[in-house]
């Protein structure tokens, strides 16, 4: 099996068990969904001149992350996100991980497959996030593959024509790989993936978390897509995020950043996890057009 469940702290285990009891019946999702903000998703368009081969068409990428199917994400919010993704008419649907919250139940992985199937795209790729590895990642992997998605874990894939000058490198989740206090990546595996993508004119890297960026920084990656931060989820005016579960998320909580020749785009994601409601960090779906230079 390519993906396996990864352990987490006893404290986190007790927290999730308590939240599973507290959020029984998915009442937070129903309550938050009653408010217009609980159903609102932004579609954020970015254009990136990517150095593609002459004569290649625009490549439109839709990036959706942190769906968090579970008791804290209103179904109407997920439906709106899927509708925006479909309306963008992507060539590539890229999924950024954390598809579930509080378990990869049969109902949730089926709903995930339906969500993916509702967005037409010639190519569909995905990475996994910390909540996926803490749940039953093999179920999520199987559901995504059944819906036509290739799941990349420190792997590279060249896109089909007419976009075969572009390679996508999907990185493993840094948080659940950690063996130290800080998130880590398997640099040898990343090196191998980058080498596989080396013949492409443009390399796009995707990771659940911005903490994967150091592994590819300064190594010719044109675009880096990630989520995980939720944009802070609760952001106070004049203060910023109340809590940020990512060292590099403190540098780049959300939005677009230019870092050593790489365009870094951090999505605030779609759903909710520990806290069902958002303040100052609206949900988003990212649309990126990779354009020829000039």
């Amino acid at each position: 099996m390519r993906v396996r469940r990864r352990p987490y702290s006893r404290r986190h285990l007790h927290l999730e068990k308590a939240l599973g009891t507290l959020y029984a019946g998915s009442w937070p999702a129903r309550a938050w969904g009653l408010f217009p903000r609980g159903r609102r998703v932004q579609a954020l368009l970015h254009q990136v001149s990517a150095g593609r081969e002459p004569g290649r068409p625009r490549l439109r990428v839709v990036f959706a992350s942190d769906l968090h199917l579970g008791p804290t994400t209103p179904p109407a919010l997920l439906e709106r996100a899927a509708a925006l993704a479909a309306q963008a008419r992507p060539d590539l649907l890229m999924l950024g991980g954390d598809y579930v919250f509080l378990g990869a139940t049969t109902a949730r992985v089926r709903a995930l497959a339906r969500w993916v199937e509702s967005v037409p795209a010639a190519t569909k790729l995905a990475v996994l996030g910390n909540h996926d590895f803490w749940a039953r990642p093999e179920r999520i992997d199987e559901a995504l593959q059944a819906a036509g998605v290739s799941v990349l874990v420190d792997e590279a894939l060249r896109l089909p024509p007419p976009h075969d000058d572009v390679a996508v490198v999907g990185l493993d989740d840094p948080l659940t790989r950690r063996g130290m206090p800080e998130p880590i990546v398997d640099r040898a595996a990343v090196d191998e993936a980058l080498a596989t993508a080396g013949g492409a004119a443009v390399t796009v890297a995707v990771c659940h978390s911005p903490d994967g960026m150091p592994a590819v920084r300064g190594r010719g990656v044109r675009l880096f897509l990630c989520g995980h931060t939720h944009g802070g989820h609760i952001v106070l005016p004049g203060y910023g995020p109340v809590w940020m579960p990512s060292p590099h998320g403190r540098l780049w909580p959300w939005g677009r950043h230019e870092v050593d020749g790489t365009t870094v785009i951090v999505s605030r994601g779609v759903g909710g996890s520990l806290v069902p409601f958002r303040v100052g960090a609206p949900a988003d779906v990212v649309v990126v057009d990779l354009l020829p230079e000039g």
Side-chain angles (χ1 to χ4, degrees), residues 67-86:
L67 300 180
H68 284 300
L69 281 86
T72 54
T73 302
L77 178 69
L78 292 164
E79 291 170 7
R80 178 60 179 158
L84 288 174

Side-chain angles (χ1 to χ4, degrees), residues 163-181:
H163 305 295
D164 50 319
D165 61 328
V166 177
V168 177
V169 175
L171 304 182
D172 196 358
D173 173 60
L175 179 59
T176 54
R177 284 203 76 261
R178 72 182 179 191
M180 299 179 293

Side-chain angles (χ1 to χ4, degrees), residues 30-41 74 76-77 80 282-283:
R30 295 201 305 272
W32 182 228
L34 295 175
F35 295 89
R37 284 191 301 166
R39 305 186 298 272
R40 190 174 300 149
V41 187
L77 178 69
R80 178 60 179 158

Side-chain angles (χ1 to χ4, degrees), residues 8-63:
Y8 49 102
S9 69
R10 186 173 298 275
R11 179 181 177 184
H12 195 124
L13 176 64
H14 290 326
L15 174 62
E16 287 208 347
K17 285 184 176 180
L19 290 175
T21 300
L22 178 63
Y23 292 162
S26 299
W27 65 265
R30 295 201 305 272
W32 182 228
L34 295 175
F35 295 89
R37 284 191 301 166
R39 305 186 298 272
R40 190 174 300 149
V41 187
Q42 298 177 338
L44 305 179
L45 176 63
H46 299 270
Q47 293 185 329
V48 178
S49 295
R52 300 192 60 198
E53 294 175 353
R56 298 285 186 169
R58 175 202 72 183
L59 172 66
R60 171 158 285 188
V61 182
V62 164
F63 178 65

Side-chain angles (χ1 to χ4, degrees), residues 131-198:
H131 283 279
D132 306 319
F133 281 112
W134 287 335
R136 295 181 179 177
E138 70 281 0
R139 283 189 174 185
I140 296 169
D141 187 23
E142 291 169 1
L144 288 171
Q145 293 197 55
V149 180
S150 295
V151 179
L152 304 178
V153 182
D154 286 338
E155 296 170 281
L157 185 145
R158 186 75 70 93
L159 298 185
H163 305 295
D164 50 319
D165 61 328
V166 177
V168 177
V169 175
L171 304 182
D172 196 358
D173 173 60
L175 179 59
T176 54
R177 284 203 76 261
R178 72 182 179 191
M180 299 179 293
E182 294 296 317
I184 61 172
V185 295
D186 184 340
R187 290 189 177 272
V190 174
D191 290 347
E192 185 176 347
L194 287 172
T196 302

